[in-house]
Amino acid sequence: TIVLNNPRRRNALSLPMLQCLRQDLLHDVKSRELRAIVIAAEGPVFCSGHDLKELSSEDDVKHHSQVFELCAEVMTLIQKLPVPVIAQVNGLATAAGCQLVASCDIAVASEKSQFATPGVNIGLFCSTPAVALGRSLPRKVALEMLFTGEPLSAQEALMHGLISKVVPEDRLEEETMKISHKICESSKSVLALGKATFYRQITQDLDTAYKMTTQVMVDNLTLRDGQEGIEAFIQKRKPVWSH
């Protein structure tokens, strides 16, 4: 579990926060023991997005580029990791914070959570958050969020596919852990293959996607855990994964 822990700054994705987040995401990534990552936060705001003090004219263009480039690197890293990444959202997620939620593989939110891209209201359109939003939400829903800055409630976010599940606040951690533990019952190598394949095929046309995933199914059968799972099913026993 990675916890954004700067509630006084509304868990803003400052350059140091982004650097720590990248480091923590990569921590033990090659360990056989690592099976899932949960991103949570302290305080009433899950993440308010970029630290606007870093984006003032007092800093030069090189610094601004560094902030946005590192943010893009972290967001794409989440989908490149070999294990599922789950956002555990309890509160407000705005701008790049909303982007962070949209970039995670799974997102569980409390009923009080809200999601917004209000950059347009301060003259900084949420163009990079739009990349993740446009791939998670129907286009017109994403554009309404981007054009107006108005928030989605947790239930609206669920309805439109930005998050996976809405639960009462007092059950948020329990439900997130339930998903995590279920993931831990499966083979790490099989999940890694499946996650990488999902994100590859999602941008392809139908024929290309089926051609690629057909080969991946064949490749899956060559994995030790692929054969172990089938043998265990036939023998009516619990599989013993090698990961």
Side-chain angles (χ1 to χ4, degrees):
T1 301
I2 299 170
V3 181
L4 307 180
N5 193 15
N6 191 6
R8 290 182 63 186
R9 298 291 301 154
R10 296 160 63 89
N11 295 318
L13 293 178
S14 62
L15 198 55
M17 179 75 93
L18 284 166
Q19 289 167 339
C20 287
L21 183 54
R22 177 179 60 183
Q23 179 180 336
D24 287 344
L25 285 167
L26 290 170
H27 181 66
D28 280 345
V29 72
K30 294 181 179 179
S31 168
R32 204 169 93 168
E33 302 303 314
L34 180 66
R35 310 302 309 289
I37 296 172
V38 174
I39 300 178
E42 286 291 335
V45 176
F46 175 77
C47 181
S48 61
H50 290 294
D51 186 340
L52 295 181
K53 288 185 177 180
E54 291 185 337
L55 305 181
S56 69
S57 57
E58 294 177 7
D59 291 307
D60 58 22
V61 172
K62 184 178 179 181
H63 179 81
H64 296 163
S65 296
Q66 186 181 8
V67 171
F68 291 122
E69 287 169 5
L70 179 55
C71 185
E73 181 186 339
V74 169
M75 300 300 168
T76 54
L77 172 62
I78 288 171
Q79 296 182 357
K80 292 176 181 176
L81 290 171
V83 297
V85 181
I86 306 169
Q88 180 182 301
V89 186
N90 188 29
L92 186 63
T94 62
C98 188
Q99 179 185 4
L100 178 59
V101 175
S103 298
C104 288
D105 304 309
I106 298 171
V108 184
S110 66
E111 293 169 328
K112 73 176 187 180
S113 298
Q114 290 186 305
F115 307 85
T117 49
V120 67
N121 297 329
I122 59 165
L124 183 63
F125 197 86
C126 286
S127 293
T128 45
V131 175
L133 241 63
R135 286 161 170 75
S136 298
L137 292 165
R139 181 178 300 179
K140 289 179 173 59
V141 177
L143 286 172
E144 182 178 348
M145 289 182 70
L146 293 161
F147 290 162
T148 68
E150 288 297 303
L152 291 183
S153 68
Q155 288 295 341
E156 288 171 327
L158 176 66
M159 177 175 66
H160 294 304
L162 179 60
I163 60 177
S164 319
K165 184 175 288 189
V166 177
V167 297
E169 184 178 2
D170 61 359
R171 286 179 47 213
L172 178 60
E173 186 173 0
E174 175 191 346
E175 288 296 322
T176 306
M177 288 302 107
K178 185 185 294 185
I179 294 170
S180 301
H181 292 153
K182 184 62 180 175
I183 287 168
C184 289
E185 293 177 7
S186 299
S187 161
K188 180 175 182 178
S189 57
V190 170
L191 279 175
L193 178 65
K195 175 175 172 175
T197 303
F198 177 85
Y199 286 114
R200 280 175 61 199
Q201 65 84 26
I202 203 71
T203 59
Q204 296 174 338
D205 65 78
L206 196 63
D207 289 339
T208 303
Y210 269 120
K211 183 176 181 180
M212 187 268 287
T213 53
T214 296
Q215 182 58 51
V216 170
M217 294 291 284
V218 174
D219 295 341
N220 195 155
L221 288 172
T222 68
L223 295 178
R224 186 194 300 180
D225 283 350
Q227 286 301 312
E228 166 62 15
I230 291 174
E231 289 174 12
F233 179 81
I234 292 171
Q235 296 169 10
K236 295 182 171 57
R237 62 174 174 81
K238 192 172 182 178
V240 180
W241 305 122
S242 67
H243 306 300

